[in-house]
Amino acid sequence: MSSSPRKSTKQLVATIDALGGVARQKDLLRHGFTPWNLKQALAAGTVEWISRGYYALPDADALDVELDRHQARRTCFTKAGQLGLWVIAPMPLPHVAAAHSRTIPGYVVYRVSGGQTLVDILRQCVKCGSEVEAPAVLESAVVLKKCTIHELLAAFAGRKDAAGRSVVAMIDPQSQLIVETVARYYLLVDGLLGVETDGERYHNTPSGWVKDALAQIAAS
C-alpha cells in the first residue's frame, strides 16, 4: 500500500487560512498534516503556536487568537459579521462559543460542542437578535449566495422553529443593501410598503434606475 504524499508547509498555511487564521491541532491532523509539518512551519516562522493544541498564522485576527487561548470561537452575530453578512451593529460584547462552561470575562459565551455550520450560526442569530437584526443577517446569507431559502426552510422546520420560519418568510432575495432590508421591515410594521431604497452599487445603471422608478411610481 502506497503512503499518501507528504503535505507542504504552503498547504498547511493555506489550510489554516481557510479555517479562519487559527486552527486546532486535531483539525489539522484530520486534514492530513503531521506533527512534523507543524514543527517545520514553526521553525520557518510561517505558523505560530498560540496555546496547547492551537496554531495561528502570524497575521491572524487578534480576537480569534485571544479566543483560542480560551478554547472558544466566534458565533452568532460576531461570526456573522466576520463572514460578511449584514450586521446592523456590532454586539456590545463579542458572542463566542465554547465546549466548556467557564465564563470568559468580556464575552457572551454559549456552550457549543463540536463545529458550527452556517445554519447553526444563523439559528443563534434568530435567538439573540431583534425583529430587524435577525432578518438582515438571514436575508444577506441568501443574497450573498451562502445558502438558499429552501435550505433555510428545511433548517427551521422543527416545532420550536416558528421564530426562524417567520424570519425566513420575510426574506427578499432581490434585496441588495442592508438599508433596504431595514427600511422594508419598518415599513411593513407600519402596514405600508411604498418605498424601495435605491442601492448605489447595484442600481447605478440605466436598467436599475428604470426598475426602481417604475416600482416607486406604481406604489405612489
Side-chain angles (χ1 to χ4, degrees), residues 53-125:
Y54 286 83
Y55 297 85
L57 301 181
D59 60 350
D61 188 281
L63 174 59
D64 291 319
V65 172
E66 176 65 18
L67 290 178
D68 268 356
R69 291 195 173 101
H70 293 284
Q71 297 181 333
R73 57 198 184 279
R74 303 184 196 217
T75 191
C76 197
F77 287 97
T78 304
K79 182 62 177 180
Q82 185 185 44
L83 293 174
L85 302 182
W86 297 345
V87 176
I88 295 175
M91 296 293 102
L93 296 176
H95 288 206
V96 304
H100 57 75
S101 57
R102 300 188 299 272
T103 59
I104 305 176
Y107 298 91
V108 177
V109 183
Y110 300 98
R111 189 170 184 179
V112 178
S113 298
Q116 293 183 107
T117 65
L118 175 63
V119 168
D120 293 331
I121 294 164
L122 297 178
R123 188 183 299 278
Q124 191 63 57
C125 289

Side-chain angles (χ1 to χ4, degrees), residues 145-160:
K145 302 188 184 304
K146 295 183 181 293
C147 65
T148 65
I149 292 180
H150 178 76
E151 290 170 339
L152 290 179
L153 287 172
F156 289 99
R159 289 187 302 170
K160 298 181 179 180

Side-chain angles (χ1 to χ4, degrees), residues 167-187:
V167 172
V168 176
M170 296 175 63
I171 292 176
D172 177 5
Q174 303 303 316
S175 184
Q176 294 160 350
L177 287 173
I178 186 173
V179 66
E180 295 186 40
T181 306
V182 174
R184 189 173 67 253
Y185 167 79
Y186 284 112
L187 290 167

Side-chain angles (χ1 to χ4, degrees), residues 3-16 18-19 25-42 44 46-47:
S3 59
S4 57
R6 177 175 290 180
K7 290 181 177 290
S8 67
T9 298
K10 183 177 180 180
Q11 290 174 304
L12 175 62
V13 170
T15 299
I16 296 177
L19 293 172
Q25 179 173 329
K26 64 180 182 180
D27 290 333
L28 295 173
L29 296 179
R30 191 178 299 121
H31 278 79
F33 297 99
T34 65
W36 182 87
N37 292 129
L38 294 170
K39 182 178 179 180
Q40 291 296 109
L42 288 170
T46 54
V47 171

